[in-house]
Amino acid sequence: MTPNIVQTTPIPGQKPGTSGLRKKTRIFMQPHYLENYVQAIFDGIGGVQGKTLVVGGDGRYFNDRAIQVILRMAAANGAAECIVGQGGILSTPAASHLIRKRGADGGLILSASHNPGGPDEDFGLKYNGPNGGPATEGVTEKIFARTTDIDSYRILEAHDVDLGAIGVTNLGDMRVEIVDPVTDYAALMESLFDFDAIRRLFASGFRMRFDAMHAVTGPYATEILETRLGAAPGTVVNGIPSPDFGGGHPDPNPIWAKDLMDHMYADGGPDFGAASDGDGDRNMVVGAKCYVSPSDSLAVLADLAHLAPGYARGLAGIARSMPTSAAADRVAAAKGIECFATPTGWKFFGNLLDAGRATICGEESAGTGSDHVREKDGLWAVLLWLNILAVTGKSVQALMDDHWARYGRNYYSRHDYEAVDAAAANTLMADLRAQFDSLPGQSFGPLVVEMADEFAYDDPVDGSRSTGQGIRVGFTSGGRVMYRLSGTGTEGATLRVYLEQLETDPAALAQDAQAALAPVIAAADRIAGIRARTGRDAPDVIT
Ligand code: G1P
Ligand code: ZN
């Protein structure tokens, strides 16, 4: 089989965002589009000659076809081996683990994360490096640069590889190994957590509901929770990955996982609920009538991780994205360990994890993880919660009450305005920048502005600087608001407004978050003129 060299021309719009390239599926399916981007990845990382790559995705529409293209292109570009999840399935954290465990040179993960899937929905592809984590900014820039001057790509003309059959085959001169997607990942989880304690918890009658949202974590959760940990059959719902995620948004938040919320807030509902997203890196955790915000979850997990065997030695440090609430900072301060605030996107945690400066990381967008892989990991967070619940014997609500009593409560919420006019969103941000000098000292209701700036990050490990990472306005009350434009939306612009207020008065810890944040929410709108500029009365999504 000789590789075909196909002439092509650059296709605009192949600029990778915070987690690879995401586009409408039909855009990816255009002639040469996927091929161009795959070749740009290969060229951008210095070629794949003799390299080993991990390949898998979240099972969404076009996952299997795209994998066949990637395999034929990897073979034509001289790759030595591709390790592929059976059926083309690999959750993002499982792919990260596989890259590390097998010492691979990197991996291609097919997913648009929590975005819906299907011919008229979203598709995505991202490259992860040899540490198992998202490509660094330097690498994504090289990949993007190649998409702008690409003139040809290499592809083998060959039959499809049978992705369903575990074992080894050849594609041209390239070795293709199809592996069970769950086995290695489940073993890793077993090495970190006290499975005996969790087994006893389930045996005692503790009831859980895990909503896999028709996405990739179904097979992982069924094997780990039901088979290995003895949770009752039926604990995992919506557990079979479907190409269009059952027509839903596989995004684990109270809006898109409403069915789970309804079960958890019903009288006599389960003790513990959880959900994960399309590719298995996000998580939502909810106790009986007790939703846990991702920022609070990060703080509780960091505080009590030492109860799990994998973290018994304590944490080196905690890292959070800048818009994530400062609840984790208070835990780090109490423990006397380092705490880092990074730009949004998991790739910024990679250096801290590699350097051993941070052990646990998290983002307000339902991402939590640790140094066990280089991605956020939905099931990992769920298992750490289970380990803590099993060891303490407390309910989720009791753990949250304990936490707030000790550290205070960082009331927190994110308001998203989706598919807004891109020009209007950019003007809103530009006009905010123009107010950095005039805002301090101004009053908005009971709040007085203390500072306003745009977040820039100096990586403490490699010294690189990332600018333009979100506008922040701090109030003298300790509250703050952040404004950011999403890097993962696929339609128009998505404005994210992050709102936070610390409360330490013991009598004020049990309020509704939106009520507690009302002054910050009002100030956020007045400062940026959100309603007037977007023409929206209210956010599309509140988390
Ligand atoms: C969103 C989240 C961010 C996360 C990313 C990938 O990015 O806000 O925390 O890392 O998805 O899952 P955004 O759309 O805000 O750029
Ligand atoms: Zn995801």
Side-chain angles (χ1 to χ4, degrees):
M1 282 184 270
T2 44
N4 270 338
I5 300 183
V6 181
Q7 303 304 313
T8 187
T9 48
I11 302 178
Q14 292 187 317
K15 186 168 178 61
T18 45
S19 31
L21 185 67
R22 280 186 208 168
K23 293 284 171 194
K24 289 287 165 204
T25 310
R26 287 197 199 281
I27 293 183
F28 259 105
M29 292 170 72
Q30 294 171 87
H32 307 310
Y33 192 95
L34 171 69
E35 290 85 345
N36 263 5
Y37 189 60
V38 172
Q39 188 68 51
I41 292 175
F42 290 169
D43 294 348
I45 62 172
V48 294
Q49 182 72 37
K51 289 185 177 173
T52 295
L53 298 171
V54 167
V55 183
D58 63 11
R60 71 179 59 224
Y61 185 85
F62 195 49
N63 188 64
D64 46 355
R65 299 308 313 151
I67 288 178
Q68 299 291 352
V69 169
I70 291 168
L71 293 179
R72 297 209 306 276
M73 288 185 65
N77 278 273
E81 179 176 16
C82 280
I83 304 167
V84 188
Q86 185 183 24
I89 292 287
L90 277 178
S91 76
T92 289
S96 180
H97 177 53
L98 207 49
I99 293 169
R100 296 164 65 76
K101 179 159 190 256
R102 302 290 289 264
D105 297 288
L108 272 71
I109 305 173
L110 303 91
S111 172
S113 190
H114 50 284
N115 294 6
D120 296 313
E121 299 295 351
D122 292 351
F123 190 78
L125 175 62
K126 57 184 173 179
Y127 167 75
N128 279 30
N131 74 344
T136 58
E137 287 210 308
V139 171
T140 42
E141 281 307 321
K142 281 192 188 131
I143 294 170
F144 172 58
R146 186 60 181 138
T147 67
T148 64
D149 65 6
I150 190 161
D151 50 11
S152 66
Y153 61 84
R154 300 168 80 86
I155 189 161
L156 212 64
E157 250 180 60
H159 57 86
D160 278 358
V161 174
D162 179 1
L163 300 178
I166 288 184
V168 177
T169 55
N170 279 309
L171 187 62
D173 294 332
M174 185 177 80
R175 186 175 185 271
V176 179
E177 182 179 348
I178 309 287
V179 299
D180 180 89
V182 177
T183 309
D184 288 322
Y185 177 82
L188 175 65
M189 294 301 115
E190 206 148 358
S191 75
L192 295 173
F193 300 117
D194 188 344
F195 271 37
D196 287 335
I198 303 173
R199 241 178 249 126
R200 285 194 297 273
L201 180 70
F202 282 124
S204 74
F206 180 90
R207 285 174 311 132
M208 174 176 182
R209 184 178 177 93
F210 182 93
D211 193 336
M213 305 189 84
H214 306 277
V216 79
T217 43
Y220 295 86
T222 304
E223 167 66 22
I224 295 172
L225 298 174
E226 296 188 9
T227 306
R228 299 198 185 194
L229 291 169
T235 294
V236 178
V237 298
N238 302 321
I240 298 177
S242 95
D244 70 347
F245 306 118
H249 279 239
D251 195 359
N253 63 42
I255 313 283
W256 296 114
K258 184 172 181 306
D259 178 64
L260 175 64
M261 291 294 281
D262 290 346
H263 278 89
M264 296 309 301
Y265 277 77
D267 289 336
D271 302 293
F272 185 56
S276 192
D277 74 329
D279 62 331
D281 56 358
R282 294 186 174 196
N283 75 89
M284 178 175 101
V285 160
V286 48
K289 301 187 182 180
C290 176
Y291 168 71
V292 183
S293 82
S295 293
D296 275 345
S297 179
L298 171 67
V300 170
L301 294 181
D303 192 29
L304 300 176
H306 58 272
L307 299 178
Y311 305 92
R313 282 175 307 153
L315 311 179
I318 306 171
R320 63 165 173 94
S321 68
M322 183 278 286
T324 301
S325 96
D329 303 32
R330 303 172 72 77
V331 173
K335 290 186 183 299
I337 57 177
E338 279 195 292
C339 188
F340 303 90
T342 64
T344 297
W346 206 260
K347 65 184 172 197
F348 292 100
F349 295 136
N351 279 345
L352 298 169
L353 295 166
D354 284 347
R357 301 272 296 268
T359 309
I360 285 192
C361 312
E363 293 192 280
E364 50 65 40
S365 54
T368 342
S370 86
D371 58 0
H372 68 292
V373 290
R374 291 296 179 274
E375 288 277 6
K376 53 191 177 240
D377 188 344
L379 260 175
W380 170 90
V382 172
L383 290 166
L384 181 49
W385 264 99
L386 280 169
N387 196 141
I388 291 167
L389 291 164
V391 173
T392 60
K394 292 185 175 167
S395 68
V396 174
Q397 182 72 62
L399 286 170
M400 293 317 304
D401 290 342
D402 288 357
H403 189 88
W404 294 330
R406 171 154 185 215
Y407 293 105
R409 179 169 179 185
N410 291 74
Y411 282 104
Y412 185 84
S413 183
R414 186 178 97 186
H415 291 190
D416 290 339
Y417 298 81
E418 295 177 343
V420 275
D421 177 65
N426 286 321
T427 309
L428 181 151
M429 295 295 280
D431 289 353
L432 276 171
R433 285 184 195 103
Q435 295 182 71
F436 286 167
D437 290 337
S438 59
L439 276 172
Q442 284 189 45
S443 298
F444 295 89
L447 300 174
V448 180
V449 175
E450 186 170 60
M451 57 75 70
D453 73 359
E454 186 150 35
F455 179 57
Y457 178 66
D458 292 303
D459 188 304
V461 179
D462 68 17
S464 61
R465 185 173 178 81
S466 304
T467 55
Q469 298 294 333
I471 290 174
R472 35 183 198 183
V473 178
F475 303 105
T476 52
S477 66
R480 58 175 191 150
V481 48
M482 279 89 36
Y483 305 86
R484 247 191 92 245
L485 297 184
S486 157
T488 62
T490 53
E491 256 181 277
T494 295
L495 172 67
R496 303 205 193 285
V497 183
Y498 308 84
L499 308 138
E500 178 171 0
Q501 179 67 57
L502 172 66
E503 180 60 70
T504 51
D505 175 359
L509 297 176
Q511 301 172 65
D512 168 71
Q514 300 304 315
L517 288 165
V520 182
I521 294 169
D525 184 59
R526 276 184 58 201
I527 291 170
I530 303 170
R531 282 161 203 245
R533 289 160 187 272
T534 62
R536 306 284 170 83
D537 289 341
D540 297 285
V541 180
I542 295 179
T543 48

